[in-house]
């Protein structure tokens, strides 16, 4: 395939030259910004300022109250390591009825529909001027 770009229009050759020119211009702008001085004078005459009397707030001296030691804990009762073995002769009825005795699978069930008691709030129309 034939190259359509002419060698005169190729900017890749001059890429480094343009980079160096850009860096030089940026450095010049930075140096100019640091050396820039303004001619407006600021009033630094502090002799005209009057001295303001400052009232010192007196902080009262506080004493920390002595905390009384709590009374000694009651003597701990010694726990013995004796194990009492109890006979387990209790009869438990394993055939407990879980369901009512009145339960009938064929009985008719009345299904009640849930109704929403809240009424839908109508959205107000937006008024455009």
């Amino acid at each position: 395939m034939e190259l359509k770009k002419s060698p005169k229009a190729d900017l890749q050759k001059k890429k480094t030259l343009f980079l160096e020119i850009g860096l030089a211009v940026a450095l010049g702008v930075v140096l100019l910004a640091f050396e820039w001085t303004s001619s407006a004078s600021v009033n630094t005459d502090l002799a005209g300022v009057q001295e303001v009397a400052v009232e010192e707030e007196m902080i009262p001296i506080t004493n920390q109250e002595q905390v009384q030691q709590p009374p000694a804990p009651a003597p701990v009762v010694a726990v013995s390591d004796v194990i009492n073995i109890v006979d387990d002769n209790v009869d438990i009825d394993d055939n407990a009825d879980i369901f009512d005795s009145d339960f009938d699978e064929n009985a008719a069930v009345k299904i009640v529909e849930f109704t929403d008691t809240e009424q839908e709030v109508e959205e107000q129309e937006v008024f455009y001027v």
Side-chain angles (χ1 to χ4, degrees):
M1 187 160 159
E2 190 177 332
L3 187 63
K4 293 185 178 181
K5 195 175 211 183
S6 70
K8 284 184 176 181
D10 189 16
L11 296 178
Q12 291 295 325
K13 293 180 186 177
K14 300 176 186 177
K15 182 176 170 181
T16 55
L17 179 66
F18 290 146
L19 178 68
E20 290 174 0
I21 291 172
L23 288 175
V25 170
L27 180 64
V29 169
V30 168
L31 288 176
L32 181 68
F34 277 119
E35 294 296 324
W36 191 279
T37 57
S38 62
S39 62
S41 64
V42 178
N43 186 12
T44 57
D45 184 24
L46 298 177
V49 178
Q50 296 178 352
E51 190 172 320
V52 178
V54 178
E55 294 182 24
E56 293 185 22
E57 184 178 338
M58 295 298 294
I59 301 173
I61 300 173
T62 58
N63 294 327
Q64 189 175 12
E65 295 180 9
Q66 295 293 330
V67 178
Q68 294 181 359
Q69 296 293 332
V76 179
V77 178
V79 178
S80 64
D81 292 338
V82 177
I83 299 174
N84 294 331
I85 298 174
V86 179
D87 291 333
D88 191 17
N89 293 333
V90 179
D91 272 345
I92 298 176
D93 187 16
D94 290 339
N95 196 5
D97 289 335
I98 298 174
F99 300 105
D100 276 343
S101 60
D102 300 352
F103 181 72
D104 184 17
E105 290 182 3
N106 298 326
V109 178
K110 182 179 179 184
I111 299 174
V112 179
E113 284 190 33
F114 174 73
T115 58
D116 192 13
T117 57
E118 293 184 19
Q119 296 177 352
E120 292 184 18
V121 179
E122 294 181 17
E123 293 184 18
Q124 296 179 355
E125 294 181 19
V126 180
F127 180 72
Y128 292 105
V129 178

